[in-house]
């Protein structure tokens, strides 16, 4: 299916690995030009180099960072059609999971909201005038399945993403008449660096459960989270949904939330 993305311009945050990297690759395959936003590049991102890919070395924790990323797209490619706010999860230097409400401090809460909510708000604020100038476009915000099925782990992260879902719904209502669609994708546990990096979630859960990192990712975590598929989600599976929502083929889809979570969400 042609997603009709040829010639479109996209900004993708958290683009050097995981869901963001898969989204960049997918949009490029569909003919879009992409500004890939991350603090630093990666060998995998560098391997996608070409005239339709620009890396913006931006720290989204810098209040000016999101606008700098958007302006880079306008500067290089002449406008903006798609904004994918994928960056999120543990802020730089933070390791998750945290196991209880009393664990995060006020500073932890502020940092979590800065990265997972305020950076997105700033990116959207910067993007909207450019999307309107092109007659509309698509914003896709990445949240988490825990928005709908919260638990005691990572409560600050869940709260920030729940706020992002609320903001996304409000944006969709305000800007749909002007041609801007706003949707969210809520992944379950995805086999990304959050899990796989040394000292990441797999190692933390391995220490807590007396298991090993591979068993955590292959068996323990899917069982703990009651995933119907019995496995973690792959980044490409999330990227495919993001690309479809970014596409004009989804012209009547706005204000919607899509779970790509291996059956994590059990509610109706």
């Amino acid at each position: 299916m042609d997603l009709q993305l040829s010639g479109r311009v996209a900004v993708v945050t958290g683009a050097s690995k995981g869901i963001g990297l898969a989204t960049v690759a997918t949009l490029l395959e569909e003919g879009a030009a992409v500004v890939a936003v991350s603090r630093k590049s990666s060998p995998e991102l560098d391997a996608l180099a070409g005239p339709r890919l620009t890396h913006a070395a931006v720290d989204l924790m810098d209040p000016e960072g999101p606008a700098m990323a958007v302006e880079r797209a306008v500067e290089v490619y002449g406008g903006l059609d798609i904004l994918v706010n994928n960056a999120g999860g543990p802020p730089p230097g933070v390791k998750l999971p945290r196991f209880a409400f009393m664990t995060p401090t006020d500073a932890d809460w502020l940092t979590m909201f800065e990265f997972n909510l305020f950076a997105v708000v700033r990116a959207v604020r910067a993007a909207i005038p450019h999307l309107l100038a092109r007659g509309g476009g698509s914003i896709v915000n990445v949240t988490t399945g825990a928005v709908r099925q919260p638990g005691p782990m990572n409560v600050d992260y869940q709260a920030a993403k729940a706020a992002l879902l609320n903001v996304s719904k409000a944006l969709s209502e305000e800007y749909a008449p002007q041609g801007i669609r706003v949707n969210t994708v809520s992944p379950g546990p995805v086999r990304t660096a959050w899990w796989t990096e040394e000292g990441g979630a797999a190692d933390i859960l391995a220490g807590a459960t007396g298991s090993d990192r591979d068993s955590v990712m292959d068996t323990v975590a899917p069982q703990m989270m009651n995933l119907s598929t019995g496995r973690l989600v792959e980044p490409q599976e999330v990227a495919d949904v993001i690309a479809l929502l970014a596409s004009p083929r989804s012209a009547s889809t706005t204000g919607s939330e899509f779970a790509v979570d291996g059956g994590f969400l059990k509610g109706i």
Side-chain angles (χ1 to χ4, degrees), residues 21-187:
L21 178 67
T23 300
V24 170
T26 303
L27 294 177
L28 289 172
E29 288 171 4
E30 293 293 331
V34 182
V35 171
V37 183
S38 60
R39 288 182 298 155
K40 57 184 179 180
S41 189
S42 65
E44 295 82 4
L45 183 58
D46 291 341
L48 300 175
R52 290 187 288 107
L53 176 63
T54 297
H55 177 244
V58 169
D59 182 359
L60 296 175
M61 295 292 281
D62 177 353
E64 303 300 322
M68 291 169 57
V70 169
E71 291 304 323
R72 184 70 171 146
V74 177
E75 173 190 339
V76 176
Y77 298 115
L80 181 67
D81 303 290
I82 299 160
L83 172 64
V84 179
N85 288 302
N86 163 73
V94 174
K95 297 293 185 182
L96 295 180
R98 297 182 176 123
F99 292 101
F101 171 77
M102 296 296 285
T103 303
T105 64
D106 280 5
D108 292 329
W109 277 85
L110 289 169
T111 301
M112 191 65 71
F113 270 71
E114 185 73 25
F115 189 48
N116 286 279
L117 178 63
F118 299 147
V120 176
V121 168
R122 292 168 183 141
V124 171
R125 186 186 293 136
I128 282 176
H130 298 293
L131 296 174
L132 291 174
R134 303 269 272 207
S138 174
I139 298 172
V140 182
N141 294 328
V142 178
T143 59
T144 171
V147 165
R148 297 286 185 188
Q149 193 159 301
M153 267 197 285
N154 304 326
V155 63
D156 50 342
Y157 169 67
Q158 296 174 69
K161 288 297 194 181
L164 176 56
L165 177 60
N166 188 289
V167 170
S168 300
K169 292 280 189 178
L171 286 167
S172 71
E173 183 71 13
E174 180 174 358
Y175 285 100
Q178 299 174 69
I180 299 176
R181 299 179 297 107
V182 185
N183 295 287
T184 59
V185 175
S186 298

Side-chain angles (χ1 to χ4, degrees), residues 177-256:
Q178 299 174 69
I180 299 176
R181 299 179 297 107
V182 185
N183 295 287
T184 59
V185 175
S186 298
V190 183
R191 193 179 286 266
T192 64
W194 180 348
W195 286 84
T196 61
E197 281 181 344
E198 184 175 352
D203 287 334
I204 293 171
L205 284 173
T209 60
S211 184
D212 62 84
R213 65 190 333 268
D214 289 334
S215 295
V216 164
M217 288 186 282
D218 293 339
T219 306
V220 175
Q223 289 178 349
M224 285 177 62
M225 302 184 77
N226 196 20
L227 302 184
S228 302
T229 59
R231 63 172 177 83
L232 299 186
V233 179
E234 294 297 330
Q236 186 62 54
E237 295 168 330
V238 184
D240 288 341
V241 176
I242 292 173
L244 180 59
L245 290 172
S247 164
R249 301 297 289 264
S250 298
S252 288
T253 303
T254 192
S256 296

